[in-house]
Amino acid sequence: MPNKHQNASKISRRNFVKFGGAVIAGSTLNIPPLKNAHLSQEETEAKIKEYRVLGRTGFKVSDISMGTTRMREANVVRYAYDSGINYFDTAESYGNGNSEKMIGEALQFMDRKKVFITTKLHFEENATKEELLERFTKCQERLKTDYVDALYIHSASTVKILNHTGFHDAVKELKAAGRLKHTGVSNHGPRGDGESMEKVLCAAAEDGRFDLMLLSYNFMNKEEAEKVLAACKKNNVGTTAMKTSPGMLAVSPLDPDNLTKDQQEYLDRIMKRGTSKEKAMARLKRRVNRQLASYENSKTFVEKHGIKTQDQLRKTSIHWVASNPDMHTTCVSFSSFDMIDMIVPVSGVKLSAADQQFLEDYKLVFNAQYCRHGCNNCVSSCPHQLPVSTIMRYAYYYEMQGNEKLAMEKYLKLRDKNASLCFDCSAPCTASCPHNLDIPVQLTQAHSLLTLV
Amino acid sequence: MKNSISLLLILLIVISIPAHAIDFPTIKSFTPESEVAKYNPETLYEYINGGADVFLSFGFKELLTKDFSYQELQFSVDIYDMGSRVNGFGIYKVERPVDANFLKIGVEAVVSPPYQCLLLKDSYYVKINIFEGEFRQESGKDILRKVSAALPGSDKQPTEFSVLPVKNKIAYSEGYSREAFLGIDLLERCVYAKYKKDSASFRYFSIVSIKEEPSKITWQKISEKWKHAEAGKSTVLYKKIPYKGYTGIILSGDKILGVADCKNLEQVLDLLNVIVK
Ligand code: SF4
Ligand code: SF4
């Protein structure tokens, strides 16, 4: 029997249904006229202060823009607009099309010419022009707009997809009909077997057919993303940042007699696999101790900067991105009025030296604990060519996901190419991680974890 | 939103595997056309890209997906385990069409021709994507019934909804918002439903209490930010929501009950009076 995903490319309609678009039936464009829009404004607390030219589109966009993956209330879009935000990002797959619907609902309270609406379609190689046109038609119906400002290839993971004939043919037709103005490419960073974000987006920027790039950009991935920004600047391509606030301050009080939900779930999972309660509890305690040790390591930093809230980290991270003039707009997934009031004040304000220092310190502390998914910079320094990031990922499955069985099975499959080799090694890899991970230490710990020795 | 630090610091997204992991069920009369593919919170992006964020925000645990043929149709069945019945309800509500003929299959289901059926049963949200063959309402219902029968668990609405009044409730209008209900950060974990009485439309809601944050703590947090009004012996907390009139909440026993979309404070008090009774 074929594997589900070997099979996938044979079926063209799969793209269509998997990535949404089933909310409205029919393929002929059918946009109901807007109700008499009354454009009365709500008094918002904060206002956008800076607008930047979005590359060769020539459109002046707010330096803070709105992403809609977590948005549940059309009124939050309206509030963002009243705060001066004029760039709204959505996709066919967000909420199975319902996110586009909410923007459509809010659009009746906006001056259409003053806002920039983007949506995205994800597709595989076998998608046809007709299929993409049909899906775009539905996006447009949900958005209730005569034209969409930009259509992105959603999560383009290879350079090859940039040349998709069906996509470019569909775009040509849509532009000729006045239904689409620009095209772009989005990339979330390396995934699975995909190519790096830098490779895909630099190729897209040089290509000439794409006017916009939507990229993952934050103070933790500065180096990779700035190569993309340079390529965009050279080609006058518009830039939008997403995934702007990495890092999380998660709180979990530790009381063995009063376990948190997460700890209880961890315990239940282990016991479900036949482990006795006593042993499961011992494992949970070891896990908690490791977490405590990690907290202890970070304590000085947390105290030095008086970090009280996740919001503080989020706001400063977003501010850092918005402070880069080569990033035309910083897309934030707003779910509430409060969040808009919290983030919009960073618009047009220079990042203070103290905040800059805060992020630098944060990066120093946390970079060293986090092996980058899809990175293999250090592999060439290892005489055994150990798959370092893969081994660390398995440790992550084990420790953070509690998926011990899967992690250990996968690790076993590496056979003799595993981290037992690190125990008797002079560790030439030691200084090879650009993110300062202590590779030998992390790998030997991972080995102990994944083999239970 | 977390607002204090007590003990530990974890980088990036904190995730966990399913609490009630199942194997892909055998579905009567369906012919398997592929192996099962599995996705966890870390890999879900590989399957549904940016759409994954919303699943993660509802506590997604695991996705099992497999292709089948049945009669002249070919389709994939995606089973999302959301970890709890109320989370399953939440994501189903986010993804289902706004207006459709909702069906009493599982907890609820909908056939959305030409290509999709959605089903909610227990903590499982199921998306059936038809990719070959002529697909009609009747065949959709047939498929949904078969999938529902194969899945374990309850066909009932999550118990959290039982606090909402039945009278004047608009059928199939219930939902669950994990964060920022009404666009307000303080309103997390809200079950709600829409109501129509005479010419008035409004929503009742209740904040689901959890061990880590019992209702009294939530009440305390909100009372620091919202206005107070007296209603007999009780206190009502209320707030004006941009474009949507007034909302108010009351602490009744160990539950926080609320009403939204009211034109003024009087209406808030009247309607809260009804729900408390
Ligand atoms: S310590 Fe491990 S990863 Fe580093 S060079 Fe030696 S074997 Fe390779
Ligand atoms: S240890 Fe450093 S260089 Fe090696 S894979 Fe991880 S992040 Fe990359």
Side-chain angles (χ1 to χ4, degrees):
Chain A
M1 195 175 290
N3 172 289
K4 185 173 161 61
H5 294 285
Q6 288 162 351
N7 199 344
S9 60
K10 290 188 207 142
I11 306 151
S12 80
R13 209 196 295 166
R14 171 192 298 281
N15 290 314
F16 185 24
V17 292
K18 191 175 89 180
F19 301 112
V23 173
I24 295 175
S27 60
T28 342
L29 185 60
N30 174 25
I31 299 164
L34 288 180
K35 283 179 217 154
N36 251 350
H38 86 96
L39 301 175
S40 72
Q41 286 203 345
E42 187 77 17
E43 209 33 65
T44 55
E45 277 186 21
K47 296 280 180 202
I48 290 289
K49 291 185 217 66
E50 189 171 334
Y51 292 83
R52 296 174 183 165
V53 178
L54 188 63
R56 59 178 173 248
T57 70
F59 199 94
K60 282 190 109 181
V61 290
S62 46
D63 57 353
I64 303 292
S65 48
M66 179 167 185
T68 54
T69 48
R70 302 182 90 148
M71 188 253 309
R72 304 282 167 272
E73 297 274 337
N75 282 329
V76 176
V77 183
R78 199 175 157 189
Y79 192 78
Y81 173 76
D82 284 345
S83 308
I85 289 175
N86 68 352
Y87 178 113
F88 298 90
D89 169 89
T90 184
E92 178 195 52
S93 63
Y94 298 169
N96 212 15
N98 282 334
S99 156
E100 290 174 326
K101 275 192 147 185
M102 275 184 248
I103 291 186
E105 221 177 284
L107 254 182
Q108 64 182 304
F109 301 101
M110 303 181 191
D111 183 340
R112 178 66 186 90
K113 291 186 291 304
K114 290 188 178 159
V115 291
F116 198 91
I117 308 285
T118 73
T119 193
K120 311 183 205 79
L121 293 176
H122 184 86
F123 50 87
E124 285 161 22
E125 277 173 37
N126 57 332
T128 61
K129 173 184 127 185
E130 289 69 32
E131 177 191 318
L132 294 173
L133 283 173
E134 193 174 354
R135 288 167 64 188
F136 181 85
T137 298
K138 291 181 183 202
C139 295
Q140 217 182 329
E141 286 180 356
R142 289 187 290 262
L143 286 164
K144 294 196 182 93
T145 179
D146 295 335
Y147 67 93
V148 174
D149 293 280
L151 174 67
Y152 281 91
I153 299 181
H154 198 169
S155 219
S157 57
T158 60
V159 172
K160 195 171 170 209
I161 201 87
L162 304 178
N163 290 312
H164 191 279
T165 321
F167 176 78
H168 289 290
D169 289 349
V171 162
K172 212 168 158 189
E173 202 168 310
L174 291 168
K175 282 185 174 173
R179 293 168 58 193
L180 176 67
K181 296 199 166 178
H182 307 284
T183 51
V185 180
S186 82
N187 186 293
H188 296 252
R191 291 237 166 91
D193 300 330
E195 293 160 345
S196 71
M197 178 175 85
E198 180 192 327
K199 187 172 176 194
V200 176
L201 292 190
C202 286
E206 297 290 347
D207 182 282
R209 288 173 291 183
F210 301 101
D211 312 308
L212 296 163
M213 299 295 138
L214 176 60
L215 62 147
S216 170
Y217 182 54
N218 54 65
F219 66 95
M220 300 279 274
N221 80 344
K222 186 172 183 280
E223 292 78 13
E224 295 122 280
E226 284 185 352
K227 289 183 186 140
V228 178
L229 285 184
C232 289
K233 195 170 183 179
K234 187 177 133 213
N235 294 285
N236 197 19
V237 167
T239 52
T240 304
M242 63 173 164
K243 310 245 179 286
T244 49
S245 46
M248 179 173 274
L249 306 173
V251 185
S252 186
L254 298 168
D255 176 359
D257 298 326
N258 184 23
L259 298 180
T260 64
K261 193 165 164 258
D262 173 56
Q263 289 161 355
Q264 188 62 55
E265 277 185 15
Y266 182 85
L267 202 68
D268 292 347
R269 276 198 304 271
I270 298 174
M271 285 166 57
K272 223 173 220 171
R273 292 176 191 138
T275 310
S276 71
K277 184 161 185 188
E278 207 182 9
K279 279 190 178 161
M281 187 53 103
R283 257 205 224 182
L284 175 63
K285 277 189 183 151
R286 282 204 297 275
R287 182 184 189 239
V288 164
N289 285 341
R290 278 195 299 271
Q291 290 170 337
L292 268 173
S294 162
Y295 173 74
E296 282 302 320
N297 282 341
S298 324
K299 213 169 158 187
T300 324
F301 165 78
V302 170
E303 282 169 1
K304 178 180 166 198
H305 290 285
I307 304 177
K308 293 276 187 303
T309 65
Q310 179 67 34
D311 288 347
Q312 184 186 2
L313 177 62
R314 184 184 295 157
K315 187 176 174 181
T316 315
S317 313
I318 291 169
H319 196 172
W320 180 87
V321 176
S323 297
N324 184 343
D326 292 338
M327 185 57 80
H328 301 138
T329 186
T330 300
C331 191
V332 182
S333 190
F334 289 117
S335 56
S336 68
F337 306 111
D338 304 320
M339 203 178 162
I340 293 173
D341 288 337
M342 177 179 89
I343 300 298
V344 166
V346 309
S347 167
V349 177
K350 210 167 167 274
L351 191 70
S352 71
D355 281 345
Q356 184 87 40
Q357 188 60 43
F358 164 80
L359 291 179
E360 283 302 318
D361 289 356
Y362 183 95
K363 191 173 163 182
L364 266 183
V365 171
F366 294 102
N367 249 347
Q369 296 173 18
Y370 163 48
C371 177
R372 270 58 177 177
H373 181 56
C375 170
N376 58 5
N377 278 357
C378 57
V379 171
S380 57
S381 68
C382 171
H384 308 289
Q385 305 273 293
L386 282 192
V388 175
S389 71
T390 304
I391 295 172
M392 295 215 201
R393 194 163 77 244
Y394 295 163
Y396 178 78
Y397 291 163
Y398 186 108
E399 189 150 32
M400 299 301 283
Q401 296 185 358
N403 209 344
E404 295 92 344
K405 191 162 169 269
L406 173 93
M408 290 170 78
E409 278 170 8
K410 283 188 174 278
Y411 189 63
L412 202 63
K413 284 193 187 141
L414 295 177
R415 297 173 189 277
D416 49 0
K417 234 180 175 184
N418 70 29
S420 64
L421 294 164
C422 304
F423 288 98
D424 297 316
C425 177
S426 62
C429 62
T430 300
S432 65
C433 174
H435 310 293
N436 297 324
L437 258 83
D438 191 340
I439 301 170
V441 169
Q442 299 245 11
L443 282 190
T444 46
Q445 278 178 357
H447 182 78
S448 306
L449 194 70
L450 294 165
T451 56
L452 295 182
V453 292
Chain B
M1 209 173 288
K2 305 276 184 287
N3 57 9
S4 67
I5 290 177
S6 61
L7 281 172
L8 89 107
L9 243 150
I10 298 172
L11 248 198
L12 300 174
I13 305 162
V14 180
I15 44 186
S16 59
I17 65 155
H20 340 72
I22 52 161
D23 290 328
F24 203 101
T26 306
I27 306 174
K28 225 171 134 193
S29 319
F30 288 7
T31 309
E33 297 290 348
S34 75
E35 299 291 352
V36 178
K38 291 187 183 189
Y39 297 87
N40 61 34
E42 200 198 25
T43 57
L44 186 62
Y45 287 100
E46 290 166 17
Y47 190 61
I48 54 171
N49 309 293
D53 282 349
V54 60
F55 280 82
L56 296 176
S57 74
F58 274 99
F60 165 79
K61 302 289 180 194
E62 187 178 49
L63 164 65
L64 303 177
T65 171
K66 186 171 177 173
D67 293 348
F68 293 94
S69 57
Y70 171 58
Q71 297 174 344
E72 87 283 23
L73 298 174
Q74 283 194 39
F75 48 88
S76 61
V77 177
D78 298 347
I79 304 176
Y80 293 88
D81 183 352
M82 301 305 296
S84 76
R85 288 167 60 193
V86 76
N87 282 344
F89 200 96
I91 190 70
Y92 165 77
K93 185 61 200 280
V94 166
E95 291 234 321
R96 77 165 203 201
V98 179
D99 305 306
N101 276 335
F102 302 112
L103 306 164
K104 185 67 198 100
I105 300 174
V107 179
E108 192 183 305
V110 60
V111 180
S112 190
Y115 305 122
Q116 203 175 57
C117 310
L118 308 176
L119 166 75
L120 173 69
K121 179 162 179 181
D122 202 88
S123 63
Y124 306 107
Y125 166 51
V126 185
K127 266 170 120 163
I128 297 153
N129 300 312
I130 316 290
F131 47 82
E132 287 295 347
E134 189 74 16
F135 172 55
R136 296 191 189 85
Q137 275 281 344
E138 279 318 305
S139 45
K141 285 185 197 168
D142 184 17
I143 288 171
L144 284 167
R145 282 192 196 103
K146 287 192 161 53
V147 176
S148 177
L151 279 170
S154 170
D155 281 340
K156 297 207 173 73
Q157 256 187 8
T159 47
E160 288 84 349
F161 286 93
S162 60
V163 294
L164 300 177
V166 176
K167 203 174 164 193
N168 300 319
K169 182 161 71 179
I170 299 173
Y172 297 108
S173 68
E174 298 90 343
Y176 172 62
S177 179
R178 180 97 175 216
E179 58 181 24
F181 178 55
L182 307 174
I184 301 297
D185 281 337
L186 282 168
L187 296 179
E188 294 179 324
R189 306 180 311 276
C190 291
V191 290
Y192 63 89
K194 289 184 184 160
Y195 291 77
K196 196 157 177 56
K197 189 176 175 234
D198 307 323
S199 60
S201 300
F202 51 91
R203 281 177 279 183
Y204 276 128
F205 63 93
S206 169
I207 302 178
V208 175
S209 152
I210 52 171
K211 199 174 94 185
E212 290 85 347
E213 190 178 307
S215 293
K216 281 203 170 121
I217 306 269
T218 310
W219 177 264
Q220 186 57 39
K221 280 196 324 200
I222 300 177
S223 71
E224 286 163 17
K225 304 263 177 170
W226 289 20
K227 290 187 176 150
H228 294 218
E230 296 310 317
K233 286 184 188 153
S234 313
T235 299
V236 164
L237 306 178
Y238 71 99
K239 180 178 172 68
K240 187 172 182 300
I241 308 288
Y243 321 104
K244 275 283 182 187
Y246 286 80
T247 193
I249 57 170
I250 192 162
L251 185 62
S252 173
D254 61 348
K255 298 203 165 24
I256 298 177
L257 306 170
V259 66
D261 313 330
C262 299
K263 52 181 190 300
N264 50 36
L265 178 59
E266 285 67 48
Q267 194 185 12
V268 169
L269 299 178
D270 281 355
L271 291 171
L272 283 179
N273 205 15
V274 173
I275 192 175
V276 169
K277 276 180 188 161

